[in-house]
Amino acid sequence: MNFKALIKNIFTNACIYFSIVTALYALIVLIVYVDDTEVLLDASRVLLFFVASILVAIANGIFKIKKLHGALRLFLHYIITIFAFYACLMLPISPPASTLTVGLVTFSVVYIIVAALVALFRARYKSKADVSGEYRSQFGK
């Protein structure tokens, strides 16, 4: 994949993620319904949603680098996504240290659960694909 296609892919994914995060935020505001003057984010905080979306898109792009070992790709993905969560979502609200720690630990636990589920489903799918494949002789006639 060339550099231009990579950048296009990252920004396309980032825009999709940003749209989803912004829609979820709007849905939460509608459900909770607090006065608009108390809830609306200023432009810089909404921009942080986009920065976080770009970082997550970059993290997801790491999975396409086949030269890296799978565990290293997963570790780099985790580091980038937890940085995005910390720098773009947690840090701007300036929570107390205990709340910040609980937030990061909760994020890590959810990440580990989701990663384990994805690994489980991928292994199961791969094993089924291997079993259902046609037999091809490894040796010529």
Side-chain angles (χ1 to χ4, degrees):
M1 180 181 285
N2 64 15
F3 185 71
K4 185 177 178 181
L6 178 68
I7 295 298
K8 181 180 176 184
N9 188 16
I10 287 173
F11 276 104
T12 301
N13 290 338
C15 289
I16 292 168
Y17 302 151
F18 176 70
S19 298
I20 292 169
V21 168
T22 306
L24 287 174
Y25 173 73
L27 184 65
I28 290 169
V29 168
L30 286 174
I31 290 171
V32 173
Y33 190 71
V34 180
D35 186 30
D36 285 345
T37 57
E38 296 177 19
V39 163
L40 293 177
L41 295 175
D42 58 355
S44 63
R45 295 232 174 144
V46 172
L47 185 61
L48 284 175
F49 282 167
F50 188 62
V51 172
S53 299
I54 290 173
L55 288 171
V56 170
I58 289 170
N60 289 342
I62 287 176
F63 285 120
K64 294 180 181 176
I65 303 173
K66 299 297 181 191
K67 293 181 181 179
L68 296 177
H69 189 270
L72 180 60
R73 285 185 288 186
L74 185 64
F75 178 73
L76 290 173
H77 184 269
Y78 169 74
I79 293 297
I80 293 171
T81 55
I82 200 162
F83 175 76
F85 178 73
Y86 170 74
C88 299
L89 302 176
M90 291 295 285
L91 202 58
I93 61 174
S94 303
S98 60
T99 305
L100 182 64
T101 304
V102 168
L104 293 175
V105 168
T106 303
F107 179 87
S108 297
V109 168
V110 169
Y111 185 91
I112 289 168
I113 292 170
V114 170
L117 288 174
V118 167
L120 178 72
F121 285 121
R122 289 187 86 201
R124 179 147 182 153
Y125 175 76
K126 187 176 180 180
S127 68
K128 282 191 176 202
D130 289 343
V131 169
S132 66
E134 290 183 25
Y135 174 76
R136 284 186 260 168
S137 175
Q138 298 292 324
F139 307 103
K141 292 181 182 179

